[in-house]
Amino acid sequence: MLEQLLWQQDRTYEEIAAEFDRLAGQLNEDATLSPRHLRRLASGERSNTTPVTRRVLQAMFGKPLNVLLQPWEATASSGEHSSSGLVVAKDQSDIDRELIALAAQRAKEFTLAANQGNITTEAMEQVHDDVRRLATEYPQRPLPDLLGDLVQTQELLYKLLENRQRPEQARQLYFLTGVTSGLLAKASHDLADPHAAMAQARTAYLCAENADHNGLRAWIRGLQSLVAYWAGRLHESVKFAQAGSEFAIHAQNTTAVWLPMCEARAWAALGNAEKTRSAIHRANDAWDSVHQDEVDELGGLCTFGPVRQSYFAADAMAWLPAEAQAAQDYAARAVEAYADSSDPEWAFGDQAGSQADLAIARIHLGELEGAEEAVNPILDLEPESRINGIVNSAMRVHKALNGSQLAVPGGELQERIEMFTRTPLKSLPR
């Protein structure tokens, strides 16, 4: 229950722990609470503490510690808790939505359980629809909202493949398993676990081989290039992008644009401006022959559009101080496009990345106020949205500022970035 109450508050663990210390002083209680201890209490790792700490926590939340540490399901069965700790009745519309979701889940389970041996057409359509929803929603929703569904969908696909299926059904199941494993590779990366990300990507590539799908092969190589890039393995990132281009030529889907852009970012991070520009030109030329395939039709993370290309170009040019104006132009274009959250291409991670690139470009151009304006929306993101790429993008701003003539006047901004990166998604209790 404590964890749920904390998540409802628009504050970090550090801020709540500081409030605890202030309240203890007001109550004349000799108690302090570290963010780590608070996090361990909320996650259930610790179940006891000193009497004085229990008294201050009860004053903060209006409930004894033994109640705060009860499982949320047990305390929320009759309603939901407000930020003050009071139980409030659910709105009828919320109840209706929950009933509809439960009924839909039960219907899916029945459809899939009815499958004996070869999977039915209806069951295949259901699984395909689930994977498409996950691919579409992945860039637009916090990872904790989707991770459970991703793992369950992958497990379901594994079980279906373990049954004997007709060749065409098996091919389609391998395709969907490859996509789902690719999404889990991205999820592992977002949680700052490149080892797990590459393990999922290798499984995804095996599925692409069994499905004999060039578009999927190319997409998985792009994910591997992305993971290697953010892990700092830049030459490896280039090699994955180049290896995928062979399949993209045959598939002619949007990976034909994405892979050279992945290559451009890695070359830029290596300081090779000439190869960066060459890769961007190849990506631009690839649009002439691109058409959507099965991967692109899933949408979301499975396709690559012009807005995302502008972000990747900005991300590349931001590594090259001499290209600051070009970086600013690309980033401004992407930031403007990502301002519309109703656009199908909208992605909160890429939006934050383009804002960081705009800030870096402005730092290279000597514009501290402009850089702060660009990075402010990132620093307002909730911890659930602070995926690995966003945290690394923020630190790139910090590094650019620290290495510039704006380091001293930009000290406060650097401190704010450091505060932001202390609570990434990977640190939240799971």
Side-chain angles (χ1 to χ4, degrees), residues 111-112 115 118-128 166 169:
T111 299
L112 295 170
N115 168 53
N118 292 323
I119 187 171
T120 64
T121 301
E122 289 75 15
M124 184 68 81
E125 289 175 355
Q126 179 62 65
V127 177
H128 189 279
R166 291 193 294 270
Q169 291 176 325

Side-chain angles (χ1 to χ4, degrees), residues 387-410:
I387 57 177
N388 184 41
I390 291 179
V391 171
N392 274 276
S393 293
M395 286 308 298
R396 279 185 65 191
V397 178
H398 185 285
K399 184 177 180 180
L401 191 55
N402 190 50
S404 73
Q405 296 180 343
L406 303 175
V408 174

